[in-house]
């Protein structure tokens, strides 16, 4: 892409896979008897790691730019307007909020509208608009003090534990897992959930044949949230 701008600047953002690209990719993999991707995030990550750029290009990834460095622009809003004016893809759903009540209203709006978007989201990033204030606030060791991510509550569904089994990792680590009656969570079928360790099983009192509430931790890793002990029958065993 060529732009009519003489000075140097830097653009950062995020690569993602739209829902339609994900569905098409998994349909192709199913026809070729290849394992399916669990979700668009995993598919996008796997695609950008491809050594053959033609494979990545064929998967119809997309990109949103949201960080601009090296200019005299003073605010996040102005930087997004600048990027958009020069043809860089910017998420059109962004909003400049004047108060925290505006932020809360925006969160509530997209809690219900998120499924209508052509890509998956698991939350909303809230940023201080003024770059001078961002600079004054600074960073912790791991993250900026001028931005925070609000995460949506994960979708929770009910399933049943059919079995509990242990897998052995490359280093010899033993990890217990639950085999579940398959259920759909956030667009993919979940048949297994990690149980982390023996203490986790004891804490939640997870047993074979138990009815359990399952969700995807961070929208990715299936985990058991709770057990419905009231539905426990004689077949249930620790």
């Amino acid at each position: 892409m060529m732009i009519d701008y003489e000075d140097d600047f830097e653009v950062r953002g995020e690569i993602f896979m739209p829902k339609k690209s994900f569905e098409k990719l998994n349909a192709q993999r199913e026809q070729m008897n290849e394992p399916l991707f669990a979700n668009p995030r995993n598919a996008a990550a796997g695609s950008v790691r491809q050594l053959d750029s033609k494979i990545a290009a064929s998967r119809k990834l997309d990109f949103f730019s949201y960080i601009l460095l090296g200019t005299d622009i003073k605010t996040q809003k102005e930087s997004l307007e600048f990027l958009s004016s020069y043809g860089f893809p910017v998420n059109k759903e962004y909003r400049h909020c004047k108060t925290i009540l505006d932020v809360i209203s925006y969160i509530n709006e997209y809690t219900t509208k998120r499924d209508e978007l052509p890509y998956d989201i698991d939350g909303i990033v809230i940023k201080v608009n003024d770059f001078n204030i961002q600079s004054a606030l600074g960073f912790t060791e791991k993250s900026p003090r001028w931005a925070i991510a609000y995460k949506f509550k994960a979708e929770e569904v009910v399933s049943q534990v059919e079995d509990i089994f242990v897998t052995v990792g490359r280093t010899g680590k033993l990890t217990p897992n639950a085999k579940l009656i398959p259920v759909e969570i956030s667009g993919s079928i979940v048949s297994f959930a990690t149980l982390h360790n023996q203490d986790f099983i004891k804490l939640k009192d997870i047993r074979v044949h138990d009815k359990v509430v399952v969700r995807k931790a961070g929208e990715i890793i299936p985990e058991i949230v709770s057990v419905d002990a009231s539905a426990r029958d004689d077949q249930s065993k620790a």
Side-chain angles (χ1 to χ4, degrees):
M1 183 173 77
M2 299 290 291
I3 63 172
D4 184 19
Y5 192 87
E6 294 185 358
D7 295 329
D8 292 336
F9 63 89
E10 181 177 335
V11 180
R12 299 178 187 176
E14 184 173 7
I15 293 169
F16 66 95
M17 180 173 286
K19 292 176 181 177
K20 285 187 177 179
S21 298
F22 174 71
E23 292 165 2
K24 182 178 179 181
L25 174 61
N26 263 352
Q28 292 171 344
R29 294 177 71 84
E30 187 173 21
Q31 289 179 351
M32 299 174 67
N33 293 319
E34 295 178 344
L36 303 184
F37 284 109
N39 52 61
R41 179 182 292 179
N42 285 359
S47 299
V48 296
R49 292 193 191 102
Q50 291 290 330
L51 297 178
D52 186 348
S53 61
K54 291 181 181 178
I55 296 177
S58 71
R59 293 183 177 178
K60 304 300 180 183
L61 298 168
D62 211 331
F63 172 80
F64 281 142
S65 50
Y66 52 76
I67 294 178
L68 175 66
L69 302 173
T71 73
D72 58 0
I73 287 175
K74 302 299 184 184
T75 69
Q76 175 72 11
K77 181 175 181 288
E78 290 172 0
S79 70
L80 294 176
E81 291 170 345
F82 172 92
L83 290 167
S84 181
S85 70
Y86 280 101
F88 291 92
V90 170
N91 192 319
K92 304 300 183 185
E93 309 299 327
Y94 82 85
R95 188 172 302 168
H96 181 206
C97 296
K98 299 293 183 67
T99 70
I100 192 62
L101 292 179
D102 291 340
V103 173
I104 293 169
S105 175
Y106 181 82
I107 288 171
N108 291 336
E109 178 184 344
Y110 278 86
T111 297
T112 58
K113 289 173 63 174
R114 58 184 291 212
D115 291 336
E116 301 172 15
L117 297 172
Y119 46 83
D120 283 340
I121 61 171
D122 64 356
I124 295 170
V125 177
I126 303 148
K127 296 182 179 181
V128 171
N129 189 43
D130 191 304
F131 286 164
N132 287 330
I133 299 177
Q134 286 189 13
S135 180
L137 289 169
F139 291 77
T140 67
E141 283 188 15
K142 296 183 178 180
S143 59
R145 291 190 178 95
W146 43 265
I148 191 168
Y150 171 87
K151 295 292 185 178
F152 295 117
K153 182 180 178 181
E155 179 185 1
E156 297 181 350
V157 301
V158 175
S159 183
Q160 186 172 13
V161 178
E162 293 188 313
D163 192 17
I164 292 177
F165 63 96
V166 176
T167 54
V168 183
R170 182 175 53 84
T171 61
K173 180 183 178 182
L174 303 176
T175 303
N177 301 271
K179 182 177 184 294
L180 306 169
I181 292 177
V183 288
E184 183 174 338
I185 307 176
S186 301
S188 63
I189 301 300
V190 171
S191 303
F192 302 93
T194 179
L195 298 178
H196 303 291
N197 52 54
Q198 186 64 30
D199 289 338
F200 181 86
I201 295 173
K202 287 181 178 179
L203 178 66
K204 294 187 179 290
D205 190 22
I206 301 169
R207 306 182 186 185
V208 177
H209 298 300
D210 274 352
K211 297 281 188 181
V212 293
V213 175
V214 187
R215 70 182 178 193
K216 287 184 181 178
E219 299 280 321
I220 299 176
I221 303 171
E223 68 174 3
I224 290 177
V225 180
S226 61
V227 173
D228 183 1
S230 66
R232 188 169 282 164
D233 57 28
D234 294 338
Q235 289 184 302
S236 174
K237 59 180 182 179

